[in-house]
Every structure is written in structure tokens, then in C-alpha cells.
Amino acid sequence: MILWGTCSASSECSATLNEEKEDTVNRRRNSQILAGAAATALAIGLAGCSSEPADDAPVEIRFTWWGGDERHELTNEALDAFEEANPNITVVRDFGGFDGYLDKITTQYAGGNSPDVIQLYNEVLVEFADRGQLYDLNDAVEAGELSLTGWPQDVIDMNTVDDELAALTFGSNTHGFIFDETKSAEFGVPIPSDGYSWDDLQEYSAAVTDASGGTMWGTFDLSHSYQVFEVWAKQHGEEFLTADGIGFTQDTLEEYWQYWADMRDGGAVPSPDVSTEYLGTPYDAVLQGVVASTFLFTNQFASVADSTPDELTIARMPSETPTPGQYLRAAMNLTVSAQTEHPEAAARLVNFLLNDAEANAILGTDRGFPSNEDVFEAATADLSGPATAAAEIYGSVREDGSPAPVPAPAGSGAVNTLFSEFAQQIQFGQISVSDAASQFLAQAEAELS
């Protein structure tokens, strides 16, 4: 468990942290947009014909990504370094915010004008790959344009769809649990020690609520979070989703939702009307003094810690022993379009951004930590304070975590939304835990079929 104290505040923390956290409902809509465009895209032919020129002939490729101003600045600096090292390759930069990003990519594919290199995210990776829209990076590996040295096999597997390497992780992170050390000390409630369990969290949360006289709850109600449930499922020897669909039993889901129902009944977590205000950003409930602890991702911790005068502790998730549930998850991916006319140049750019020490020293951890262990030190050398604490949590999971899951099947975005919807129905007493679990599984399987 790692403690960090700060004395600065920023009202922009929530916006910064959420630049790439689209609403889950929008993910369902995006999946529908993708499916509707598939027939048009396939009709014009998605397989790119390589017209790769001689090694020293001028080549122009296009790279698109989303992010905020800091990401754009860092990425452009790295691309400048790439062009300096590859003077015959010019990279056209296409970047902006996340709103409308997937719609834009889909339209470009349908028009046969997709970017050569594309930043994507896991929930849509299989859908793109299933339509043949992504270049098999195994070809670049065999041609010597892309190296997998330093890449954990489970991360490679996580990006492999039907034996094709559809992507590589462009920044990864892992789960973390934060505690407000300052508030806990004020109320005389010690935070759980390393190796704490879900029961320990429940005990801590109830104690904070009691000691505060009900002015603060101990932790946030995370019954809606499929990201937390996937850790719970792994700790029970199961998976949230597999390549074939649902990877957990109804009993495991009922136990998870009942755990949070018991927390609500005991007053250890906020009432449903309060929880609803923070569904997308539970850490805001900590920043605003509503709860004393919650889940977040490691790449979010530094901004959160810098946004409160309180001292915050970051730990691994509860019950990580004896069977860990945390894993190295993709924050986003780098892919090469199957429409590219310059696969070698595109692969060279991917290789530089993911495997070059200079590039990773520039990019740092804005997108998360690099999956390539050989450039981890270059990317994290300048970290300090809470960012270092987050890196240590990430490193512990890299050393002793669960294997990354395979790519989520098509329809996973809709399943994620359903998970949250049913959890909220339970919160408001509209449905029982057992009925919610049964109906969720039936609807989720239909979405994945």
C-alpha cells in the first residue's frame, strides 16, 4: 500500500481524467453505427493493396488518435522524432477529442480512406478485426518491421483475434483502490493493511460511516462496475467475458451484487440517489468528501491525488491473495488499417511508438504504462510523487497478477451497459439480486450471440 500527500487542487481533474471515458450508452450506440457501416465498408473492399515504394522513396502515412492538449503535444513530439529517424516517411497527424471519434473512423473506412495507423480501444477491437479492417501485425513481425521483444505473451494474446495480431497495447494500466488517509485519521479508523479482503473493506467502510456520524460513507457503491466485477470473477477462478461469451456463473454474479446490497443495508456506501451522481467518476466522490475510498485505474491516481489537499493512499484491490484478479489491461491500442497502401511504413511507426526508448521517454505515461517491459524505465524515469506510487502498483501486478483476458467478443459494449443498468435497478429496489442476475445473463448472451 502506498501513501502520498499533496497540497494542490485542480477543478479540472474530472474533465482531464474523463477525456477518453465515453458514456457506456454511447458505446452501445457506437457498436450499432459500426455494424451498420460494415456492409458498405466491405463492399468497397477493405484489404489494402501494398504499393510499398523503395526504402528511400518518400512515403506519406496518416495517424489518428484522440486525447487532450497534453497528449497531442507529446504525440507530435514523438512523431517529429520518428520523422527525423525516418526522413523518407511523413506522418500526417489527425487528432482531436473523443466525441465523434469512432463515427469519424467508421465513415473513413466506408469511404475507403481510413488512416494508416489508428488508435482504438478494446471494446471495438474484435468488431473491426471480424470485418477484416485491421492489418495482421504478425506479417510485420515476420518482415522484421515490428518487434515483440519485451512483450508479455498474455498481452500479445489479448490483442490476437482469430490467430491474427490485430493490435498492440498503446498504454496499459491496472485497477487500484484509493483511501483518504486524512479523513480516515480524523475519524480514528485505520485504513486496511496490505493483503486486505473484501470483508476488511466492508468493516472499514462501516466504521467510517459510524465514526463520521453519517457525514461520510466509507466507500463507494461499485455494484454497477463491470471493471470491478471482472476482478471479482478472476479472484473466483472465472472470467467476465471470454472469446465465446460469458465466462462466469450466476452464483458468482449474485455473490458480487449481494455484497454491495449488504453494504447498502449497513450504511457503508451511499444511498442510490447519491451514487448515481458519480457512476462514471467514483473518484469524484472521494474528492468531494462524500466517501473515503473507491476504485480507480492507476493512470488516474496522480491527477486525483493532485486535486485534493488530503493525503491519499493507493492499494491493490481487496482479496488479491491467494488468487489475484488484477491484470494489465489495455488503456487503448495501436492498429494498422487493412486499407493502408504502406504497411511497412505504418508498422515502422507502430514499432517506434511502442518499442523505442526515445519515443517512450517523450510519451511518458499519458496513455498509461508501456506494455513492453524493455521501455518501462524510459517511460517512467521522470515520474514523482503519486505517479510513482501508481507505477509501483502497476509493477506489482506485472509481477504477481492475473493473465490478461482474451479480446472481448463483439457486443461486449452492450453487455457492459446492461451490467450497470441491472445493478442500478437492484440499488433502487426495483428487482431482486437473483432475478437481476438471471435476466442480465439472458440478455447478455443474446447480445453476444
Side-chain angles (χ1 to χ4, degrees):
M1 201 167 283
I2 301 161
L3 174 65
W4 185 258
T6 71
C7 57
S8 62
S10 169
S11 62
E12 299 179 355
C13 174
S14 179
T16 300
L17 293 176
N18 285 301
E19 64 182 58
E20 62 206 36
K21 298 293 182 183
E22 72 279 15
D23 187 273
T24 52
V25 175
N26 285 339
R27 284 188 174 174
R28 175 182 286 176
R29 176 179 59 81
N30 286 337
S31 294
Q32 294 168 343
I33 292 170
L34 286 166
T40 304
L42 287 172
I44 64 171
L46 294 175
C49 302
S50 174
S51 57
E52 203 72 41
D55 287 346
D56 57 352
V59 172
E60 183 177 279
I61 58 176
R62 195 159 96 253
F63 173 36
T64 187
W65 71 92
W66 76 83
D69 291 341
E70 181 179 4
R71 177 173 300 166
H72 301 332
E73 181 179 346
L74 294 172
T75 305
N76 277 309
E77 185 179 348
L79 294 176
D80 289 342
F82 172 78
E83 289 181 336
E84 183 176 350
N86 299 271
N88 66 308
I89 303 177
T90 299
V91 182
V92 178
R93 296 99 188 269
D94 179 9
F95 55 89
F98 188 82
D99 288 345
Y101 180 81
L102 200 58
D103 294 358
K104 178 183 71 174
I105 300 300
T106 302
T107 300
Q108 290 170 335
Y109 264 108
N113 187 37
S114 62
D116 300 271
V117 180
I118 305 170
Q119 178 179 290
L120 283 179
Y121 56 93
N122 256 12
E123 284 81 354
V124 299
L125 183 63
V126 171
E127 296 176 38
F128 275 82
D130 282 350
R131 290 193 297 271
Q133 292 177 317
L134 303 179
Y135 174 76
D136 184 1
L137 293 175
N138 283 320
D139 293 344
V141 175
E142 293 173 4
E145 299 290 348
L146 177 63
S147 173
L148 297 180
T149 301
W151 284 78
Q153 186 59 48
D154 65 323
V155 175
I156 296 172
D157 295 341
M158 181 174 60
N159 290 282
T160 299
V161 181
D162 294 333
D163 297 325
E164 294 189 357
L165 187 57
L168 281 175
T169 303
F170 194 23
S172 62
N173 55 36
T174 191
H175 313 70
F177 216 89
I178 60 170
F179 296 87
D180 189 324
E181 179 79 6
T182 301
K183 293 293 193 301
S184 297
E186 287 178 5
F187 299 134
V189 180
I191 61 172
S193 57
D194 288 339
Y196 70 112
S197 67
W198 289 104
D199 288 342
D200 293 332
L201 177 63
Q202 188 171 25
E203 182 178 342
Y204 163 84
S205 301
V208 168
T209 302
D210 290 342
S212 70
T215 61
M216 172 179 275
W217 287 279
T219 197
F220 191 76
D221 185 346
L222 296 166
S223 59
H224 72 287
S225 175
Y226 75 90
Q227 296 107 324
V228 175
F229 175 70
E230 67 179 351
V231 172
W232 179 286
K234 279 177 167 289
Q235 290 173 347
H236 286 73
E238 301 173 1
E239 295 285 346
F240 178 49
L241 296 177
T242 71
D244 298 322
I246 299 296
F248 58 90
T249 64
Q250 182 170 330
D251 285 345
T252 298
L253 178 57
E254 288 187 17
E255 289 174 7
Y256 178 76
W257 276 340
Q258 188 60 53
Y259 172 85
W260 293 105
D262 293 342
M263 292 274 265
R264 287 190 297 274
D265 292 343
V269 298
S271 56
D273 57 321
V274 175
S275 294
T276 301
E277 299 179 26
Y278 303 97
L279 286 183
T281 56
Y283 46 78
D284 278 338
V286 172
L287 295 178
Q288 296 177 20
V290 177
V291 301
S293 64
T294 193
F295 143 81
L296 48 53
F297 290 113
T298 49
N299 63 317
Q300 298 171 328
F301 180 61
S303 293
V304 172
D306 286 342
S307 299
T308 175
D310 289 0
E311 294 181 342
L312 300 184
T313 296
I314 184 169
R316 286 183 64 161
M317 297 291 285
S319 295
E320 277 292 277
T321 57
T323 305
Q326 288 186 240
Y327 65 93
L328 305 186
R329 69 191 307 276
M332 55 202 73
N333 315 92
L334 268 187
T335 66
V336 172
S337 171
Q339 292 178 346
T340 183
E341 296 183 353
H342 307 295
E344 292 180 10
R348 227 183 267 181
L349 175 60
V350 171
N351 189 72
F352 181 81
L353 293 173
L354 300 183
N355 296 328
D356 186 86
E358 178 188 5
N360 280 271
I362 294 170
L363 295 170
T365 59
D366 175 77
R367 289 177 170 87
F369 299 103
S371 293
N372 184 345
E373 299 173 0
D374 293 344
V375 297
F376 185 85
E377 184 175 349
T380 59
D382 293 334
L383 296 184
S384 61
T388 300
E392 291 181 19
I393 294 295
Y394 179 91
S396 75
V397 174
R398 188 176 61 185
E399 294 297 322
D400 177 30
S402 177
V406 298
S412 62
V415 171
N416 299 342
T417 300
L418 284 171
F419 190 95
S420 179
E421 290 173 350
F422 275 104
Q424 290 175 71
Q425 291 180 42
I426 298 172
Q427 289 175 3
F428 284 96
Q430 298 169 350
I431 192 172
S432 69
V433 166
S434 59
D435 286 347
S438 176
Q439 292 180 33
F440 165 76
L441 285 170
Q443 294 185 33
E445 288 169 355
E447 292 286 355
L448 299 172
S449 62

